[in-house]
Amino acid sequence: MERIHPDAVSVRSAHYIGGAYIDDELALEVRRPSDGKPYAGLPVASPEMVDRAVQDAWSAFRTSDWARRAPRERARVLRRWADLIELDAAVLAPMETVGSTRPIRDALGWDVPFTAEGIRFFAEFADKHGGDVAATRSDTLGMTIAEPYGVIGAIAPWNFPLVMASWKIAPALAAGNAVVLKPSELTPFSALRLAELAVQAGMPPGIFNVIQGDGAVTGDALVRHPKISKVTFTGSTRTGSAIMAACAQTGIKPVTLELGGKSPQVVFADAPDLDRTARTIAGAISGNAGQVCVAGSRLIVQRSAADRLVSGIVAAFGALKAGHTWEDDTTLPPIIRPSDALRIDGVVQRTVAAGASLLCGGRLLAVAGAGGYYQPTILADVHAGMEAVRDEIFGPVLTLQVFDDDDEALALADHPAYGLAAGVHTADIGRALRFVRKLEAGTVWVNRYGRSADYVIPTGGFKRSGVGKDLGRQAYEANLRFKSVLIDFAE
Ligand code: NAD
């Protein structure tokens, strides 16, 4: 791919409703995370605009044949959509890169293809997964019929704008629903392109809509709308909790919530390859500058392996190159906003003031331009009550705790609030399996950390990390409701 000139990347700032761009007053300013430069305005959909989008989606759901057509035909449109997304990489990837923290190499190599392939994955369910015939008396027929909900309200975060949005919308659409998506106001534009391509692929206008705006006005109006039958959300635990309450108050709407985390990485001295493990640990906290829900932010290491592991991690951090997302060699992207870089620094400095030692990092990074960058950081001599160990930082900050036996490792790994993911590194398969069973986390990785391209493996948290799953069969099923039918045909 040719070099990207960020000023040459243009975006359309509008809502996308009923298959058309709808202009609206530009009320917010959107900045490029890499250099802090404002590059577009953004409308904030009022409750009236949200109502227009939801009513349009409802009408498309009822009058188009999206939900009624043969499921294979729905799948064909979704596959065509995925093909168009891949063919559009030269437009979509720079748009994603300039407007978010995703380096161009990752946007091209992962975000765009992963989005497309995820849509294909869910398309395959459309005609292969329905209801059941139940075992009943021979003169009755008992069935469960799987039906779409209607209009699903989807709300996405900013850290992987395309991929996170696709995890919400692809299973909902494959199951025959209509969707109104609100992307994050910090990274709002790539979702519009997805919607435009969906219509080009043959999706009926109004089935997939995008509304722009903030959480307090637009997001809140969307989840409270009476014609939204289900809400699927990815974002912070705090917002997830507010959304769950709003859904309870406005119709007992079911929710899928993918929320925050504070995931432990437990490393034993017998980890298969300690040097490789060190690189894995470093990658799991520095990837996307730590702005990853499953960031492995708490390192819990057996005492005898601690020094070697830490020097491997520090070396891996040293090899990272901070830079603008559009530079080809950037491996440490910016923090989403300069104010968030300052917030991260505040947590680090307060934890140091409370007695922690800084093993590396601990400073804002100067990169040409005005963006916020942060040095990958390790804090040692910490305990569970300290801010950096307790709270999700959403930056490249790793805490280090040392253990002597398995029970101590398990106790340290447990977090009172979060249970999103965990890593265990050991050559002892029995110990690995005991940890898999005992760790309270929605995903446990053994001798690796991070997702593979296996969409069939769901992701989602325990405890305050969320409710329900993205990806996998579970995400598809969560976008259907099951109707029970009992037919009597005795003579
Ligand atoms: P956020 O909660 O601030 O915002 C997420 C979205 O919710 C945005 O679109 C925002 O506009 C909207 N929103 C805010 N208030 C709202 C309200 N009252 N009603 C409706 N919508 C509202 O989160 P963020 O800063 O965008 O993302 C970072 C967070 O997301 C982190 O906590 C991270 O762990 C989490 N996350 C979780 C997963 C997962 O799969 N578990 C994946 C990615 C990110």
Side-chain angles (χ1 to χ4, degrees):
M1 170 133 196
E2 282 174 32
R3 203 181 137 64
I4 294 172
H5 297 285
D7 292 339
V9 171
S10 65
V11 291
R12 179 83 193 257
S13 193
H15 312 295
Y16 193 86
I17 301 174
Y21 282 103
I22 307 292
D23 291 320
D24 196 357
E25 184 193 340
L26 301 180
L28 296 178
E29 193 174 60
V30 186
R31 291 172 181 265
R32 305 195 299 220
S34 287
D35 59 7
K37 190 170 163 187
Y39 77 113
L42 189 75
V44 173
S46 62
E48 293 71 33
M49 185 62 80
V50 172
D51 182 55
R52 176 174 168 180
V54 177
Q55 298 290 359
D56 228 273
W58 177 243
S59 145
F61 176 72
R62 293 217 307 186
T63 58
S64 81
D65 65 346
W66 183 246
R68 292 190 308 270
R69 67 175 66 175
R72 276 196 82 70
E73 285 174 24
R74 205 161 57 230
R76 190 176 309 138
V77 171
L78 292 168
R79 287 196 302 270
R80 207 179 298 139
W81 186 24
D83 293 346
L84 291 181
I85 289 169
E86 274 176 354
L87 287 170
D88 199 52
V91 173
L92 257 180
M95 192 185 273
E96 187 79 331
T97 282
V98 168
S100 80
T101 60
R102 305 295 300 137
I104 186 61
R105 234 178 230 255
D106 296 334
L108 279 168
W110 193 75
D111 300 64
V112 172
F114 201 73
T115 295
E117 195 59 21
I119 291 170
R120 288 192 192 104
F121 171 79
F122 283 112
E124 287 158 16
F125 279 97
D127 69 338
K128 293 178 192 63
H129 193 76
D132 290 312
V133 173
T136 54
R137 286 165 54 120
S138 62
D139 57 0
T140 59
L141 183 60
M143 298 182 287
T144 49
I145 306 177
E147 296 181 347
Y149 276 96
V151 186
I152 293 195
I155 299 187
W158 51 263
N159 60 338
F160 297 88
L162 274 176
V163 173
M164 291 297 117
S166 72
W167 289 7
K168 312 267 101 185
I169 60 187
L173 293 167
N177 297 283
V179 172
V180 178
L181 167 74
K182 191 200 87 61
S184 167
E185 60 274 34
L186 303 179
T187 54
F189 300 119
S190 50
L192 288 172
R193 186 79 181 166
L194 283 190
E196 202 185 325
L197 294 174
V199 171
Q200 277 180 31
M203 195 176 290
I207 289 295
F208 173 33
N209 309 277
V210 178
I211 49 169
Q212 303 291 5
D214 62 6
V217 175
T218 310
D220 188 63
L222 178 62
V223 300
R224 288 179 185 274
H225 196 288
K227 282 210 158 55
I228 290 289
S229 322
K230 179 196 157 120
V231 170
T232 177
F233 168 78
T234 300
S236 63
T237 295
R238 187 189 163 116
T239 308
S241 155
I243 287 178
M244 199 171 193
C247 287
Q249 288 158 7
T250 58
I252 319 280
K253 295 165 192 156
V255 286
T256 296
L257 303 175
E258 302 298 340
L259 311 178
K262 192 73 193 172
S263 302
Q265 293 252 40
V266 181
V267 182
F268 287 89
D270 70 349
D273 175 344
L274 219 47
D275 296 330
R276 195 196 61 181
T277 306
R279 291 193 294 277
T280 301
I281 306 276
I285 191 64
S286 63
N288 208 30
Q291 301 164 113
V292 181
C293 54
V294 293
S297 53
R298 293 186 298 128
L299 174 59
I300 294 161
V301 56
Q302 195 163 17
R303 192 172 302 278
S304 58
D307 288 348
R308 186 163 153 209
L309 194 69
V310 168
S311 46
I313 297 169
V314 172
F317 282 169
L320 293 171
K321 161 95 175 39
H324 298 148
T325 47
W326 46 83
E327 308 291 349
D328 230 8
D329 57 351
T330 292
T331 45
L332 184 70
I335 303 301
I336 183 74
R337 289 173 292 201
S339 59
D340 284 289
L342 286 171
R343 176 187 54 76
I344 292 167
D345 191 50
V347 177
V348 170
Q349 302 315 329
R350 284 191 297 277
T351 306
V352 169
S357 338
L358 204 51
L359 298 192
C360 68
R363 287 221 186 137
L364 295 154
L365 262 175
V367 170
Y373 292 76
Y374 205 75
Q375 286 180 334
T377 297
I378 306 179
L379 290 167
D381 302 315
V382 294
H383 59 77
M386 285 177 163
E387 195 177 348
V389 184
R390 187 189 60 213
D391 297 344
E392 183 181 48
I393 298 176
F394 229 54
V397 180
L398 183 66
T399 59
L400 169 74
Q401 290 167 287
V402 174
F403 68 87
D404 290 304
D405 61 41
D406 291 22
D407 286 346
E408 194 183 2
L410 266 175
L412 289 173
D414 188 51
H415 189 282
Y418 294 118
L420 191 54
V424 184
H425 304 265
T426 176
D428 179 340
I429 183 72
R431 175 191 273 151
L433 290 173
R434 283 192 295 280
F435 270 69
V436 165
R437 285 285 197 200
K438 288 181 179 168
L439 285 165
E440 262 199 285
T443 297
V444 182
W445 286 298
V446 177
N447 296 332
R448 62 171 288 128
Y449 199 86
R451 288 202 60 77
S452 62
D454 302 299
Y455 302 82
V456 70
I457 297 178
T459 175
F462 289 179
K463 303 201 272 193
R464 277 177 237 175
S465 290
V467 176
K469 298 287 181 188
D470 274 348
L471 300 184
R473 173 176 50 79
Q474 289 84 345
Y476 182 74
E477 279 178 354
N479 284 283
L480 290 165
R481 51 188 178 183
F482 293 86
K483 182 178 281 173
S484 300
V485 181
L486 199 58
I487 304 167
D488 233 327
F489 53 92
E491 280 187 47

